[in-house]
């Protein structure tokens, strides 16, 4: 049992008459990978957008490292150490790896960009994740493969000293070998003590990498199970709603 | 935690490794200004074999002066082209700035320096106007600046009157394009350039060593600075020879050259080494990624347009200085040549890729075509046809290299 880093209790969110989150409880532990699964429209994205401060929750409480916090803006989230790696990556193809990893948080030396320090730190961050697939940190992102881009995007969160990294469908567009690389990276991220939330439709990936599996069904958290103590069929049953929660509020 | 061998930084290895890595980048579609430089060499050989006057020192000076106004407007446009925007009104913005100058200095008799500063301010205001409509309202820059292209012609007519042409009387301003520096000043300029380049390179190298990063072979640094010194010395040397045909000696580096160089160096410094420059490239490459990284995209766009329009006024000043007059029809043609110069030099129309130096080389190509064909005695029709062809060829290279670097996707 790791220590709980983030705990959502009874969070709600509605868009007009539609209740997307109907009082969700969710818990993320340090050094663990928590998979968030659920069918389309179950509220996964809405839950994540609330955590990243992009779209604040309407009600409920969020506690971070035991303290109740307010998450109204992306800046608040990132100052707590919450980083989101989006599905569409958000990298600038015309810039190189170092420039992308530091985008928006460049280091400066005498008011000018401190390329040397940034290059060094980027190198260290990639090394700490045992990344071997990247040839040079000064490669342009346009010359990288999908898996390498995902690697850069994930390493960026490490560089920012993230405590919680949320990955939105990180393997959706990747081939077999690249998926393997990225999942290994996710594992190492957790091994470094970071709390990881991974959203995925691919249950094979989920079972390979996750410690805990949380299932959303129509805006309600129907299961929060240990990945080792459950089966694929059980998770699918929760996702499709054919199995109902036993006392999970 | 296992530490693997460090990931390369692109600074490792011998000169040979570096050269090989460069060739690889070229194959990957990052050609930069290489096609334009080749064009420059080919055109130079072609014209010098066709016209005995082409390689004279007099024509060399002439070529630089002809290219300078074009270069500055191309520099201006680079700032907006990097954002994948365009400013079709840059030429007439320059004209309008000079019209403001004429009213203040000529009609009202204000001090010429004050008038010039206010003319530049007019440029900044126009830039802010465009930037507001583009970044806050979301009107495409093509449309906003096309509208201004038309409106500012009316503005110039309003200020200067129908068919208004006024002589540029201020001697300091007239001499920019028509006079030369003393010979010693040319050499001092070169010395500053070489020394500046050397000390900047050494400072970068020291910084890398201090942080613990590998550095390129020292010989490459010397090679780079040496190339600047040699090419610079050849040009300054040639321009120091008396090129006058009459009794009066005409010698020295034209005054406009250090001005253009200064804009080039300062602009490049801003684009390469400041936060603002980095954000221009980021916004041009992927505005959404820039926004998510916390960059104020609208603000960056606004500033880029302000810089563009202000530099456009400098270009307007150079044009006025060259022809010796301020006209109500100024700047209508040069803007398209400016876009052509930037694109021919290797600045991408799709945003995010390009440097001021590329635009300078592109401007030299365009000016050389004009100058060389004129010397051979080709009709103006040919100049237009060939320049247009070169532009389409350059834009094709841009699109193709973009496609090639996109192949690596997935």
């Amino acid at each position: 049992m790791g220590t709980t880093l983030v705990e959502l209790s009874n969070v709600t969110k509605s868009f007009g008459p539609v209740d997307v989150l109907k009082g969700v409880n969710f818990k993320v532990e340090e050094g663990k990978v928590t998979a968030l699964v659920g069918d389309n429209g179950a509220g996964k994205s809405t839950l994540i957008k609330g955590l990243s401060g992009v779209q604040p929750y309407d009600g409920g409480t969020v506690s971070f490292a035991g303290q109740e916090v307010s998450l109204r803006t992306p800046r608040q989230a990132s100052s707590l150490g919450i980083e989101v790696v989006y599905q569409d990556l958000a990298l600038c193809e015309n810039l190189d790896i170092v420039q992308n990893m530091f985008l928006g948080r460049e280091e400066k030396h005498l008011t000018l960009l401190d390329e040397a320090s940034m290059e060094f730190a980027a190198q260290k961050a990639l090394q700490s994740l045992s990344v071997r697939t990247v040839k040079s940190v000064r490669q342009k992102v346009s010359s990288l493969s999908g898996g390498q881009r995902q690697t850069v995007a994930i390493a960026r969160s490490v560089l920012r000293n993230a405590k919680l990294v949320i990955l939105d469908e990180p393997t959706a567009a990747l081939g077999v070998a690249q998926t393997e690389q990225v999942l290994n990276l996710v594992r190492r991220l957790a091994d470094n003590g970071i709390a990881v939330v991974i959203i995925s439709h691919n249950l094979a990936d989920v079972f390979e990498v996750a410690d805990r599996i949380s299932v959303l069904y129509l805006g309600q958290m129907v299961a929060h199970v240990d990945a080792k103590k459950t089966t694929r069929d059980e998770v699918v049953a929760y996702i499709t709603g054919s199995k109902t929660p036993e006392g999970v509020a | 935690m296992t530490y693997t061998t460090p990931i390369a930084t692109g600074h490792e290895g011998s000169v040979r490794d570096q050269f090989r890595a460069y060739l690889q980048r070229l194959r990957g579609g990052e050609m930069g200004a290489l096609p334009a430089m080749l064009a420059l060499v080919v055109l130079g050989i072609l014209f010098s074999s066709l016209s005995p006057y082409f390689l004279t020192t007099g024509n060399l000076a002439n070529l630089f002066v002809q290219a300078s106004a074009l270069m500055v407007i191309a520099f201006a446009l680079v700032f907006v082209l990097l954002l994948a925007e365009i400013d079709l009104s840059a030429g007439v913005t320059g004209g309008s700035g000079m019209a403001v100058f004429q009213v203040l200095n000529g009609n009202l008799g204000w001090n010429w320096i004050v008038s010039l500063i206010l003319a530049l301010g007019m440029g900044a205001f126009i830039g802010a106007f465009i930037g507001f409509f583009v970044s806050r309202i979301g009107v495409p820059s093509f449309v906003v600046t096309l509208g201004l292209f038309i409106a500012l012609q009316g503005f110039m007519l309003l200020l200067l009157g129908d068919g208004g042409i006024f002589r540029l009387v201020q001697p300091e301003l007239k001499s920019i394009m028509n006079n030369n520096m003393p010979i010693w000043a040319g050499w001092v300029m070169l010395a500053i350039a070489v020394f500046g380049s050397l000390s900047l390179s050494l400072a970068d190298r020291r910084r890398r060593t201090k942080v613990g990063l590998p550095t390129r072979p020292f010989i490459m640094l010397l090679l780079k600075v040496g190339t600047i010194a040699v090419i610079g010395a050849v040009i300054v040397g040639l321009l120091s020879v008396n090129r006058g045909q009459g009794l009066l000696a005409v010698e020295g580096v034209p005054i406009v050259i250090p001005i253009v160089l200064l804009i080039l160096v300062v602009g490049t410094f801003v684009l390469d080494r400041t936060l603002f420059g980095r954000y221009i490239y980021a916004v041009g490459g992927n505005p959404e990624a820039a926004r998510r990284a916390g960059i104020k995209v609208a603000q960056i766009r606004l500033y880029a347009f302000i810089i563009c329009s202000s530099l456009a006024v400098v270009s307007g000043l150079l044009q006025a200085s060259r022809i010796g007059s301020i006209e109500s029809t100024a700047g209508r043609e040069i803007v398209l040549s400016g876009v052509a110069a930037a694109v021919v030099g290797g600045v991408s129309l799709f945003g995010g890729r390009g440097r001021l130096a590329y635009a300078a080389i592109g401007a030299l190509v365009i000016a050389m075509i004009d100058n060389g064909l004129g010397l051979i005695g080709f009709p103006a029709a040919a100049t237009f046809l060939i320049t247009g062809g070169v532009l389409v060829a350059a834009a094709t290279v841009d699109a193709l290299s973009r496609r090639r670097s996109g192949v690596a996707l997935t």
Side-chain angles (χ1 to χ4, degrees):
Chain A
M1 265 291 161
T3 34
T4 303
L5 181 72
V6 180
E7 190 157 12
L8 305 183
S9 28
N10 204 26
V11 295
T12 56
K13 177 81 189 174
S14 39
F15 297 104
V18 186
D19 295 327
V20 182
L21 299 178
K22 305 167 185 165
V24 171
N25 295 333
F26 184 47
K27 204 169 74 173
V28 184
E29 291 159 57
E30 277 173 13
K32 301 280 183 206
V33 178
T34 307
L36 182 60
V37 297
D39 215 340
N40 291 338
K44 299 184 305 263
S45 303
T46 311
L47 191 70
I48 292 317
K49 279 180 182 158
L51 257 182
S52 62
V54 175
Q55 226 170 53
Y57 302 123
D58 292 338
T61 57
V62 182
S63 77
F64 190 91
Q67 302 252 306
E68 196 170 308
V69 292
S70 100
L71 283 176
R72 312 297 302 176
T73 66
R75 200 165 289 269
Q76 278 176 331
S78 74
S79 71
L80 287 172
I82 299 174
E83 293 288 340
V84 185
V85 178
Y86 292 100
Q87 194 172 4
D88 51 351
L89 293 174
L91 297 175
C92 292
E93 289 197 9
N94 60 330
L95 300 182
D96 64 33
I97 294 178
V98 178
Q99 293 169 338
N100 266 293
M101 283 175 72
F102 277 93
L103 195 62
R105 312 183 185 199
E106 286 79 2
E107 283 181 18
K108 285 186 281 181
H109 177 66
L110 306 171
T111 76
L112 298 175
L113 293 170
D114 188 356
E115 296 291 349
S117 300
M118 289 194 276
E119 195 171 306
F120 189 72
Q123 220 182 10
K124 277 277 159 319
L126 287 169
Q127 261 179 60
S128 77
L129 295 169
S130 318
V131 172
R132 289 189 196 80
T133 49
V134 175
K135 221 166 36 184
S136 158
V137 289
R138 285 298 183 185
Q139 247 178 305
K140 292 251 161 75
V141 166
S142 61
S143 71
L144 299 180
S145 69
Q148 288 171 325
R149 288 173 198 220
Q150 195 63 254
T151 304
V152 172
I154 293 172
R156 171 155 74 174
S157 59
V158 172
L159 201 66
R160 293 175 176 181
N161 291 319
K163 296 201 177 72
L164 169 64
V165 175
I166 301 166
L167 302 151
D168 186 6
E169 295 277 4
T171 58
L174 302 184
V176 177
Q178 296 190 340
T179 299
E180 199 56 39
Q181 281 167 19
V182 169
L183 292 181
N184 282 335
L185 193 60
V186 171
R187 199 58 253 173
R188 278 195 291 275
L189 217 51
D191 292 344
N192 286 2
I194 296 170
V196 182
V197 172
I198 178 169
I199 297 178
S200 184
H201 272 119
N202 186 334
L203 287 183
D205 289 359
V206 167
F207 274 97
E208 184 178 341
V209 77
D211 300 300
R212 309 249 181 277
I213 300 175
S214 296
V215 188
L216 269 176
Y217 178 70
L218 297 178
Q220 281 177 315
M221 195 63 85
V222 291
H224 186 71
V225 292
D226 196 321
K228 288 195 189 67
K229 291 178 189 151
T230 184
T231 62
R232 201 190 150 89
D233 289 342
E234 193 185 19
V235 173
V236 170
Y238 279 124
I239 292 174
T240 54
S242 60
K243 183 165 181 173
T244 40
E246 323 131 357
V248 183
Chain B
M1 199 168 296
T2 50
Y3 273 92
T4 50
T5 46
I7 299 153
T9 61
H11 285 251
E12 293 83 358
S14 61
V15 177
R16 208 165 138 187
D17 297 333
Q18 290 283 333
F19 186 67
R20 207 173 293 146
Y22 172 69
L23 285 183
Q24 205 165 9
R25 281 200 300 277
L26 280 186
R27 272 202 296 273
E30 290 177 46
M31 279 185 288
L34 195 67
M37 283 199 277
L38 288 179
L40 213 53
V41 173
V42 171
L43 286 172
I45 293 170
L46 188 71
F47 288 137
S48 50
S49 66
L50 290 175
S51 162
Y53 299 106
F54 183 76
L55 265 191
T56 57
T57 51
N59 191 50
L60 187 70
N62 207 7
L63 182 64
F64 278 120
V65 171
Q66 278 179 351
S68 59
L70 185 60
M71 266 187 207
V72 174
I73 203 158
F75 291 164
L77 288 162
V78 167
F79 282 89
V80 293
L81 286 175
L82 281 177
L83 298 174
E85 305 282 356
I86 189 122
D87 184 359
L88 294 175
S89 65
V92 288
T93 298
S96 301
M98 291 318 287
V100 168
F101 174 83
Q102 171 59 30
V103 168
L104 297 178
N105 177 248
N107 302 4
L108 300 175
W110 289 20
N111 175 286
W112 70 274
I113 296 177
V114 175
S115 308
L116 196 61
I117 291 171
L118 287 172
L120 286 169
M122 178 69 201
F125 174 76
I126 294 172
F129 182 86
I130 302 169
F132 173 78
F133 276 93
V134 173
S135 65
R136 303 283 169 187
I137 315 266
V139 188
S141 56
F142 184 88
V143 178
V144 179
T145 60
L146 182 61
L148 270 182
F149 173 72
I150 299 163
L152 286 176
Q153 291 182 42
F155 178 73
M156 284 192 285
L157 282 176
L158 212 64
L159 288 189
L160 300 178
D162 282 344
I165 297 183
F166 296 87
R167 269 185 47 192
L168 184 68
V169 279
Q170 199 61 41
E172 288 86 347
L173 298 182
K174 258 167 70 183
S175 63
I176 294 176
M177 294 290 264
N178 300 302
N179 289 357
N180 303 307
M181 299 194 296
I183 287 173
W184 61 264
W187 293 108
V188 168
M189 176 189 86
L190 179 64
I192 292 172
V194 172
F195 181 76
S197 161
L198 182 66
S199 42
L200 203 60
S201 305
L202 284 176
D204 282 348
R205 202 183 162 79
R206 243 192 332 266
R207 181 100 196 123
R208 288 186 69 87
T209 315
K210 197 176 152 200
V211 172
L213 288 167
T215 49
R216 290 205 171 92
F218 194 67
I219 184 93
M220 286 185 69
L221 191 158
L222 292 181
L223 225 61
K224 185 186 119 196
V225 177
T227 311
I228 294 174
V230 170
I231 293 178
V234 169
I235 291 173
V236 172
L238 286 174
L239 292 176
S240 299
V241 180
N242 179 10
R243 53 183 179 269
Q245 274 142 7
L247 293 169
L248 221 58
V250 179
E251 56 191 12
V253 175
I255 292 173
V256 67
I257 289 185
I259 296 176
V260 173
L261 273 183
L262 190 72
I263 298 174
L264 172 64
V265 170
V266 171
T268 302
F269 196 83
V270 167
L271 284 176
D272 280 358
R273 291 172 184 262
T274 67
L275 218 52
F276 173 68
R278 176 63 40 84
Y279 290 173
I280 284 199
Y281 282 100
V283 172
N286 186 348
E288 178 56 24
R291 195 186 61 78
R292 286 190 203 167
I295 296 169
K296 292 179 179 133
V297 175
Q299 203 178 336
I300 299 290
R301 287 214 172 97
L302 178 71
Y303 289 150
F305 277 106
I306 291 176
I307 292 174
C308 173
S309 298
S310 306
L311 279 177
V313 175
V314 177
S315 172
L317 169 66
L318 298 187
Q319 294 163 60
S321 168
R322 184 169 157 72
I323 57 176
S325 62
I326 295 168
E327 302 177 2
S328 58
T329 56
R332 285 204 298 226
E333 276 123 44
I334 196 169
V335 66
L336 294 181
S337 305
V339 175
V343 174
V344 165
V347 178
S348 176
L349 281 169
F350 303 101
R353 287 189 306 157
R355 306 172 62 79
L356 292 183
Y358 296 179
I361 293 167
L364 275 179
V365 171
I366 302 274
M368 197 183 264
I369 293 173
D370 200 15
N371 173 291
L373 290 180
L375 283 179
I376 302 171
F378 266 48
T383 311
F384 283 123
L385 284 170
I386 292 174
T387 310
V390 169
L391 173 60
V392 174
T396 308
V397 170
D398 177 26
L400 286 180
S401 72
R402 188 177 133 89
R403 193 193 296 174
R404 184 179 299 187
S405 61
V407 168
L409 251 159
T410 71

